[in-house]
Amino acid sequence: MEVQPHFYREEINSTMWEVPEKYTRLKQIGTGAYGSVCSAINDKTKEKVAIKKLHRPFQSEIFAKRAYRELRLLKHMKHENVIGLLDVFTPVTSLDDFQDFYLVMPYMYTDLSKVRGHLSEDKVQFLVYQMLCGLRVSNHHSPGNLAVNQDCELKILDFGLARSTDAEMTGYVVTRWYRAPEVILNWMHYTQTGKTITAVNILLYMLTPYMDQLTQIMKVTGVPGPEFVQKLDTPEAKSYIKGLPRYPRKDFSTLFPRVSAKCIDLLEKMLVLDGDERPTAELALEHPYFDTLRDPDDLPEPTPYDDSHDNATMSLDEWKRLCFREVKSFVPFPRRDSKRKNTLTMSP
């Protein structure tokens, strides 16, 4: 097996890593069913990065397809509020030897769900603004996690398990506390407005951490009427809604007495159970609540994502060939210096 020059090998927690010499001080910071992540320092740029090594990406067609989807999505995402690739590499030079590849991404300080303590409204405003900016350009894919840096910069993470926003939006994704009601109830098609309620659920979570379940949301919005129930696809969802106590809609200004009037107005517009009545991320960003933050540079036109392979059936060798081609064709995207005047800080 021919290994590229200027690479070195290091065993970390029983896993062998083969990385370019410029990445030093590797330290494992996470592991899961599909891969391990190490922090590292890029000695050329002095930047701290996160490097992900997928666990045996070519052990089956399913694993290979998943690896290809993650690689393609990360290469496609080019926005400062969506995680993207700084680098991607494999230690080998030929397709015949190709067994592993590594994804290099910005290092993020902590997961948003781990942030503790009261968040001031200016922090909440800035985080939700970034969230909506990232959701706006994420095309038709659902994010997995949200991460923040110490300076309150937010990125949407984990598109490896992202699905086309259609009937596949079940199982793994519905377990997350910030999912849209239509995903939790498995009714109608997940649309662009489903992203909006993802953001507003997180906004509610940051304002009142107990707001983490569909029933709790309906205690605020009120239980929907028969027109909403008719839109539900499954008898179980209809029965669930019909069996709920008749919660009346609450006055948001009473629930959140320390929150600005503009924030209350945004909440009332976004926290709507019927996705047909809910604004998209793009429309939500036009709300006066974000007037002091809105910057045209944050709102580039979303570029179409080629999902022609998402439903393809191919052999393991074909998936491996596609991955190898994507790794070798990677070109770093020039990153824009942020013009945001941000003085906020975040503590876990």
Side-chain angles (χ1 to χ4, degrees):
M1 181 178 72
E2 186 179 355
V3 178
Q4 295 196 62
H6 307 296
F7 274 64
Y8 73 97
R9 293 162 59 92
E10 182 176 348
E11 185 174 336
I12 301 172
N13 290 350
S14 302
T15 298
M16 187 59 67
W17 289 64
E18 296 177 286
V19 302
E21 292 174 351
K22 66 179 179 180
Y23 294 119
T24 63
R25 288 183 268 174
L26 270 66
K27 179 182 178 182
Q28 184 169 299
I29 55 175
T31 186
Y34 297 101
S36 297
V37 180
C38 280
S39 63
I41 301 297
N42 182 335
D43 275 352
K44 290 187 176 180
T45 64
K46 307 306 178 185
E47 180 181 21
K48 191 171 186 179
V49 298
I51 305 177
K52 180 176 182 179
K53 180 181 182 180
L54 301 178
H55 289 322
R56 299 175 60 207
F58 305 119
Q59 60 183 290
S60 69
E61 286 89 350
I62 293 175
F63 275 69
K65 182 177 181 179
R66 184 188 184 281
Y68 176 75
R69 178 191 288 130
E70 181 170 11
L71 175 56
R72 283 294 312 283
L73 282 168
L74 285 169
K75 285 182 70 174
H76 175 77
M77 299 301 178
K78 296 178 173 69
H79 189 276
E80 61 188 313
N81 295 127
V82 182
I83 202 72
L85 283 179
L86 301 176
D87 192 8
V88 56
F89 60 83
T90 179
V92 300
T93 57
S94 72
L95 177 60
D96 290 340
D97 296 327
F98 185 49
Q99 295 298 328
D100 293 300
F101 63 90
Y102 299 75
L103 306 166
V104 184
M105 294 164 280
Y107 177 84
M108 299 302 290
Y109 181 53
T110 188
D111 189 289
L112 186 60
S113 66
K114 294 182 175 67
V115 174
R116 296 288 181 261
H118 173 72
L119 289 177
S120 60
E121 190 179 338
D122 55 350
K123 288 182 182 179
V124 172
Q125 179 194 39
F126 186 48
L127 290 169
V128 174
Y129 171 75
Q130 294 177 85
M131 211 179 305
L132 288 168
C133 288
L135 290 170
R136 178 181 172 275
V137 299
S138 63
N139 295 290
H140 302 291
H141 296 276
S142 173
N145 289 313
L146 299 158
V148 289
N149 275 337
Q150 288 164 302
D151 57 2
C152 234
E153 294 281 348
L154 176 143
K155 289 186 188 293
I156 298 170
L157 311 179
D158 289 355
F159 286 90
L161 285 177
R163 295 287 189 266
S164 179
T165 55
D166 206 329
E168 290 187 70
M169 292 292 294
T170 56
Y172 159 81
V173 293
V174 302
T175 62
R176 301 304 184 94
W177 54 266
Y178 51 79
R179 293 300 174 194
E182 54 266 43
V183 179
I184 299 171
L185 291 170
N186 194 20
W187 63 276
M188 297 175 35
H189 287 304
Y190 183 84
T191 65
Q192 294 297 316
T193 65
K195 297 177 182 180
T196 312
I197 208 156
T198 290
V200 78
N201 283 352
I202 295 166
L203 172 55
L204 283 168
Y205 175 78
M206 289 187 286
L207 293 172
T208 56
Y210 62 82
M211 291 287 299
D212 59 354
Q213 294 179 8
L214 182 61
T215 302
Q216 295 295 334
I217 293 172
M218 282 191 280
K219 286 181 180 178
V220 174
T221 63
V223 173
E227 288 185 5
F228 176 87
V229 174
Q230 286 303 312
K231 294 183 179 182
L232 303 180
D233 284 341
T234 67
E236 293 82 5
K238 291 181 179 181
S239 177
Y240 171 75
I241 295 293
K242 289 178 180 177
L244 289 172
R246 298 293 96 188
Y247 303 120
R249 184 176 179 86
K250 293 186 178 178
D251 183 343
F252 280 34
S253 60
T254 302
L255 282 173
F256 309 108
R258 296 193 179 101
V259 175
S260 68
K262 288 181 180 179
C263 182
I264 294 294
D265 187 66
L266 178 66
L267 278 171
E268 289 178 336
K269 286 180 168 61
M270 290 171 66
L271 191 61
V272 177
L273 289 179
D274 190 339
D276 294 339
E277 305 297 325
R278 194 186 308 136
T280 62
E282 187 158 9
L283 284 175
L285 284 164
E286 294 176 4
H287 192 275
Y289 187 55
F290 300 118
D291 282 352
T292 59
L293 294 172
R294 198 180 303 107
D295 183 334
D297 288 342
D298 296 334
L299 308 172
E301 283 302 311
T303 54
Y305 171 73
D306 178 10
D307 60 358
S308 57
H309 289 96
D310 279 12
N311 297 312
T313 300
M314 291 188 286
S315 69
L316 180 57
D317 285 342
E318 288 172 317
W319 285 118
K320 184 186 288 191
R321 187 177 297 108
L322 283 174
C323 286
F324 190 73
R325 185 179 70 188
E326 291 293 335
V327 170
K328 291 300 183 180
S329 66
F330 174 75
V331 177
F333 182 74
R335 284 181 288 171
R336 162 176 88 88
D337 291 333
S338 177
K339 297 178 183 177
R340 295 169 178 163
K341 293 180 173 62
N342 173 37
T343 58
L344 302 174
T345 58
M346 183 70 67
S347 298

